Amino acid sequence: MSQTPAYLSGYMAPVADEIDAADLPVIGTLPPELTGRFVRNGPNPLPGEQPGHLFDGHGMLHGVRLRDGRAEWYRNRWVRTGYFAGRPEFGPDGTRDLTVVAANTHVVGHAGRVLALDESGLPYEVTPELGTVGAHDFGGRLTTAMTAHPKQDPETGELHFFGYGARPPYLTYHRLDASGELAHSREITVPGGTMMHDFAITEHHVVWLDLPLTFRPELVGRTMPYQWDDGYGARLGVMRHDRPGAPVRWFDVDPCYVFHVGNAHEDASGRVVLDAVRYGRADFTAMWSTAGGTDDPAGPAAAAAAAPSGSARLHRWTLDPATGVAREEALDDRGVEYPTLDDERVGRGARYLYAVSGPEIVKYDLSGGEVTGHTLPPWTLAGEAVFVPATAGPRREDDGWLISITTTADGSASRLLVLDASDLAAEPVAAVELPRGVPAGFHGNWFPDAPPS
């Protein structure tokens, strides 16, 4: 009898249907400023499916509507992609259909559209009520995949993103203007097809992560066809995004893998500073084995203990264009993932980063070095913590809330947790009891209601 893989068990077990629930119970008091929708994406295979890898489950959106201190509704919906419909990924001529995509990793808003994303194809537009509109290619101009981690410049409103592929072009940079038009695309030369999950921007630069997770054609159809490659090397690239055709300056770094960037900025000396969560080879191999269902884990509940094996750790790289040297330092030794920050600080110096460490939501003070956290009840896991800024008047960088969907280790119950970002040690501001256990997923966002005109 085959063992159910860890990514389909316990707090990661998929749900079998779509439901709606109204007037959800609230513990504490929801701030009235939180008027909008929290939406989180994640992989959720259909009943009976075993996709072969955590990353291959169909995208499912879980949403909670807050208004005037009430939790009006919860609902969950699969994203109706070409993959969900069962269409073939490749046509008879070998052309890849970019609408055959899971759309299971992130959900972002730009220029009035809400887009469900992963990194293997086109984005899918969805409605505020989580219905699927369809694949979106920006008027036919986007002909590559789109990363699940675009970066919006807080000053210009432009959305920077990229697509990578197993065949040339291996890497393509794109930029949307503030109105949502695809304004610029260019190919970036890299040695081969790598899995580039994230990147960073600063005020003037893009920071590329060319790391040793390379495409393996022999794995296609069996599992996620990317594996660690000791021969590929590892480097970070810095490229001016405000100068079309600007060259990339590459910096060699110690071999590692990065799924998620915290932030990057330019310091007073013109150096580019990148903060991200870093996997060494052994930790990456342990994590990748679990994600692919090829290990023999002690059980999903073991993750509640936040065991260090298979974990990433917060690191900083300082890239100096004057010397061509990258300096690397560890900022913390605990295992963390899903770094987030105030979106108004993307690409600029930020004092605070937030992350998740098993049953704990962590706050890093990058100026003073202090690390604080909020520990959940026993056998409860935190999802990515999204920062929502306070809206009334001038504010400090951490004036606002952190919103996270938490799930018990057995997958039986979930809450929408609201914390005071300025004081994680305090009791939660509020918690919304959700009508079902929400499986651990990937990334989400807060979509505030448009202010009255």
Side-chain angles (χ1 to χ4, degrees):
M1 183 169 57
S2 61
Q3 180 183 7
T4 301
Y7 68 83
L8 297 177
S9 305
Y11 70 102
M12 303 177 78
V15 297
D17 55 4
E18 300 172 330
I19 66 170
D20 294 77
D23 296 323
L24 309 177
V26 176
I27 301 168
T29 302
L30 286 168
E33 298 97 323
L34 290 180
T35 295
R37 295 163 172 84
F38 181 77
V39 183
R40 202 222 62 201
N41 204 346
N44 197 102
L46 289 164
E49 286 185 340
Q50 279 210 18
H53 197 283
L54 170 65
F55 295 175
D56 284 337
H58 301 294
M60 177 174 278
L61 303 174
H62 298 263
V64 182
R65 167 66 157 139
L66 306 181
R67 179 157 47 191
D68 299 331
R70 296 172 50 236
E72 290 188 338
W73 53 252
Y74 161 88
R75 63 181 52 133
N76 65 300
R77 297 290 186 272
W78 274 289
V79 186
R80 264 64 176 180
T81 66
Y83 176 49
F84 186 87
R87 294 202 298 267
E89 184 178 2
F90 294 94
D93 62 353
T95 302
R96 188 166 179 274
D97 183 350
L98 292 176
T99 71
V100 179
V101 60
N104 66 10
T105 308
H106 207 346
V107 54
V108 304
H110 183 69
R113 287 190 172 93
V114 178
L115 301 174
L117 306 170
D118 74 14
E119 61 206 59
S120 61
L122 294 175
Y124 265 76
E125 185 176 357
V126 298
T127 71
E129 285 69 41
L130 311 188
T132 301
V133 177
H136 187 67
D137 62 4
F138 304 99
R141 301 194 65 186
L142 181 61
T143 59
T144 73
M146 179 176 181
T147 177
H149 291 289
K151 301 292 188 285
Q152 182 164 301
D153 189 292
E155 295 183 13
T156 67
E158 294 174 318
L159 192 74
H160 302 261
F161 67 99
F162 67 92
Y164 72 84
R167 296 180 292 187
Y170 294 125
L171 179 62
T172 307
Y173 166 67
H174 303 282
R175 186 176 70 249
L176 298 178
D177 64 22
S179 70
E181 295 294 319
L182 188 55
H184 177 70
S185 298
R186 61 170 286 201
E187 182 179 350
I188 308 300
T189 301
V190 293
T194 65
M195 185 176 181
M196 191 179 294
H197 186 71
D198 203 352
F199 78 137
I201 65 168
T202 69
E203 183 178 2
H204 301 105
H205 298 91
V206 165
V207 184
W208 299 114
L209 313 176
D210 192 24
L211 303 175
L213 194 62
T214 63
F215 178 68
R216 302 290 180 87
E218 70 273 14
L219 298 179
V220 173
R222 295 166 48 198
T223 185
M224 183 66 62
Y226 288 87
Q227 294 291 330
W228 187 284
D229 182 355
D230 284 319
Y232 189 82
R235 59 185 188 162
L236 305 178
V238 176
M239 180 192 85
R240 294 283 299 215
H241 59 62
D242 55 349
R243 297 176 184 170
V248 181
R249 179 75 178 273
W250 293 103
F251 296 78
D252 291 330
V253 297
D254 289 338
C256 63
Y257 192 72
V258 170
F259 273 111
H260 298 120
V261 162
N263 196 30
H265 70 278
E266 300 157 26
D267 70 11
S269 300
R271 299 174 300 183
V272 172
V273 180
L274 171 69
D275 295 330
V277 292
R278 177 194 189 277
Y279 290 88
R281 192 188 197 288
D283 282 316
F284 176 84
T285 300
M287 178 279 303
W288 201 238
S289 177
T290 299
T294 58
D295 63 345
D296 184 18
S309 177
S311 295
R313 290 162 177 83
L314 185 64
H315 276 61
R316 170 170 288 177
W317 291 264
T318 302
L319 311 177
D320 189 344
T323 64
V325 173
R327 181 169 61 89
E328 177 181 338
E329 58 182 316
L331 299 183
D332 191 20
D333 62 359
R334 80 191 68 200
V336 294
E337 253 296 357
Y338 303 130
T340 58
L341 78 162
D342 177 359
D343 285 344
E344 295 179 13
R345 305 307 308 164
V346 169
R348 277 64 175 175
R351 179 173 179 178
Y352 300 109
L353 283 181
Y354 311 96
V356 172
S357 181
E360 187 178 24
I361 295 173
V362 178
K363 178 182 181 180
Y364 291 100
D365 182 341
L366 300 175
S367 296
E370 184 181 8
V371 184
T372 56
H374 181 89
T375 302
L376 301 177
W379 304 107
T380 303
L381 283 300
E384 179 186 56
V386 173
F387 179 82
V388 181
T391 56
R395 66 177 182 89
R396 300 184 305 272
E397 185 182 320
D398 60 349
D399 280 344
W401 301 275
L402 293 176
I403 301 181
S404 171
I405 291 179
T406 70
T407 300
T408 55
D410 64 2
S412 63
S414 289
R415 287 177 167 180
L416 183 78
L417 186 68
V418 180
L419 301 177
D420 180 350
S422 69
D423 186 7
L424 288 197
E427 290 296 312
V429 174
V432 178
E433 299 280 2
L434 302 184
R436 72 182 327 157
V438 174
F442 295 138
H443 305 282
N445 245 313
W446 172 253
F447 297 90
D449 284 2
S453 58

